[in-house]
């Protein structure tokens, strides 16, 4: 495993920890989209169907368990925790996330590397992950006072994808037959969706003001 | 049997 891939995984892990820390310590999920979190839980379930059948490494298995466990606990907190759920911006988080699921499933059935159940679910998870951030970005745009942790969480998620792209470039040049167009294109689409956010993130950082996306 | 692809990334 190369350093870019490890950095990408760690950034992803830290993003989840930041979010859980926010929820757990200040008992608030204000500014966080439940729609996006539910999509991520679905992404991990459909991607990690191979968790008990294909052993890759201990690292791989543990990380999969962490991502599955944390994504479900975040959804649980936001839906059922008696204090946390009160801070959920339900009226603002109105993105029809179900409309993202079906097109991704159809696309996975049409464009995949192998027509097997596990492979289609894996491909579906890639397509879904690419667009799962959309409800969160919409909510961010609508929220007037976004707290710092929410902004850091989104930034870390975007950074994780950007690092994965660098990892793919590195692997393409160092490993023979390393060619994964579906993964690359969905990862690229996902990173592009963060483009706007990154632009305003750096502006707010440069000018030392709170980030607020223009409506 | 080349039905399964190995996915080593998360």
């Amino acid at each position: 495993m190369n350093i870019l891939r490890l950095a990408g995984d760690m950034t992803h892990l830290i993003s989840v920890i930041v979010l859980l820390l926010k929820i757990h310590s200040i008992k608030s999920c204000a500014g966080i989209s439940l729609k996006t979190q539910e999509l991520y839980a679905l992404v991990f379930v459909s991607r990690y169907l191979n968790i008990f059948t294909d052993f890759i490494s201990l690292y791989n298995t543990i990380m999969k368990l962490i991502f599955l466990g944390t994504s479900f606990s975040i959804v649980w907190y936001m839906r059922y925790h008696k204090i946390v759920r009160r801070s959920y911006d339900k009226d603002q988080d109105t993105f029809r996330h179900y409309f993202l699921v079906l097109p991704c499933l159809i696309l996975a059935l049409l464009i995949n590397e192998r027509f097997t159940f596990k492979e289609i679910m894996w491909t579906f998870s890639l397509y879904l992950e690419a667009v799962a951030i959309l409800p969160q970005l919409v909510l961010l745009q609508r929220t007037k006072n976004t707290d710092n942790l929410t902004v850091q969480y989104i930034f870390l998620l975007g950074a994780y994808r950007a690092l994965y792209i660098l990892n793919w470039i590195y692997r393409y040049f160092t490993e023979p037959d390393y060619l994964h167009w579906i993964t690359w294109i969905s990862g690229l689409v996902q990173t592009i969706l963060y483009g706007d956010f990154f632009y305003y993130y750096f502006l707010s950082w440069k000018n030392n003001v709170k980030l607020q996306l223009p409506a | 049997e080349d039905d399964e692809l190995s996915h080593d990334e998360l």
Side-chain angles (χ1 to χ4, degrees):
Chain A
M1 185 165 62
N2 64 71
I3 187 78
L4 297 162
R5 156 77 197 283
L6 183 66
D9 284 348
M10 290 305 120
T11 314
H12 194 185
L13 185 63
I14 295 166
S15 77
V16 177
I17 292 172
V18 164
L19 181 54
L20 267 175
L21 213 65
K22 167 189 156 89
I23 292 176
H24 196 82
S25 60
I26 58 177
K27 296 282 181 287
S28 164
C29 62
I32 299 297
S33 165
L34 177 61
K35 308 287 173 79
T36 285
Q37 296 306 320
E38 287 179 344
L39 291 178
Y40 281 142
L42 183 56
V43 163
F44 292 131
V45 169
S46 33
R47 183 171 307 170
Y48 299 157
L49 289 173
N50 64 356
I51 186 167
F52 297 116
T53 52
D54 310 334
F55 181 78
I56 293 154
S57 66
L58 189 62
Y59 168 84
N60 207 282
T61 306
I62 291 172
M63 291 294 274
K64 283 175 177 168
L65 287 172
I66 292 175
F67 287 134
L68 279 167
T70 49
S71 64
F72 275 93
S73 58
I74 291 165
V75 170
W76 180 85
Y77 262 114
M78 293 184 73
R79 273 179 170 270
Y80 305 113
H81 189 281
K82 64 180 192 299
I83 302 168
V84 174
R85 71 175 191 188
R86 276 188 240 145
S87 57
Y88 169 49
D89 305 318
K90 198 179 177 184
D91 301 333
Q92 304 269 31
D93 191 22
T94 54
F95 197 98
R96 309 276 182 85
H97 63 329
Y98 296 112
F99 286 152
L100 293 175
V101 176
L102 196 62
C104 288
L105 193 59
I106 294 170
L107 196 62
L109 286 164
L110 295 173
I111 305 171
N112 53 65
E113 284 189 54
R114 296 272 198 292
F115 201 80
T116 62
F117 177 68
K118 262 200 285 185
E119 193 54 34
I120 285 163
M121 291 311 280
W122 166 274
T123 314
F124 163 68
S125 82
L126 292 174
Y127 296 151
L128 191 61
E129 189 188 355
V131 292
I133 195 66
L134 286 174
Q136 179 62 66
L137 290 177
V138 169
L139 181 60
L140 181 71
Q141 199 170 42
R142 287 178 181 167
T143 315
K144 285 279 172 288
N145 278 308
T146 316
D147 65 81
N148 235 337
L149 283 175
T150 305
V151 173
Q152 301 310 344
Y153 165 68
I154 301 170
F155 172 77
L156 287 163
L157 266 183
Y160 135 67
R161 273 291 117 175
L163 284 162
Y164 252 73
I165 291 181
L166 297 177
N167 152 62
W168 294 329
I169 294 169
Y170 177 83
R171 290 187 73 170
Y172 176 75
F173 286 108
T174 52
E175 291 174 31
D177 307 322
Y178 182 78
L179 216 64
H180 293 289
W181 284 108
I182 293 175
T183 316
W184 296 344
I185 290 169
S186 1
L188 193 63
V189 168
Q190 190 176 356
T191 315
I192 289 168
L193 291 180
Y194 285 90
D196 202 46
F197 168 82
F198 275 130
Y199 174 73
Y200 289 103
Y201 181 88
F202 285 115
L203 271 190
S204 78
W205 172 75
K206 205 178 83 186
N207 302 326
N208 204 15
V209 291
K210 239 180 140 104
L211 180 134
Q212 203 180 328
L213 295 185
Chain B
E1 182 85 359
D2 192 28
D3 255 7
E4 296 284 328
L5 293 167
S6 151
H7 296 296
D8 62 352
E9 289 177 350
L10 298 159

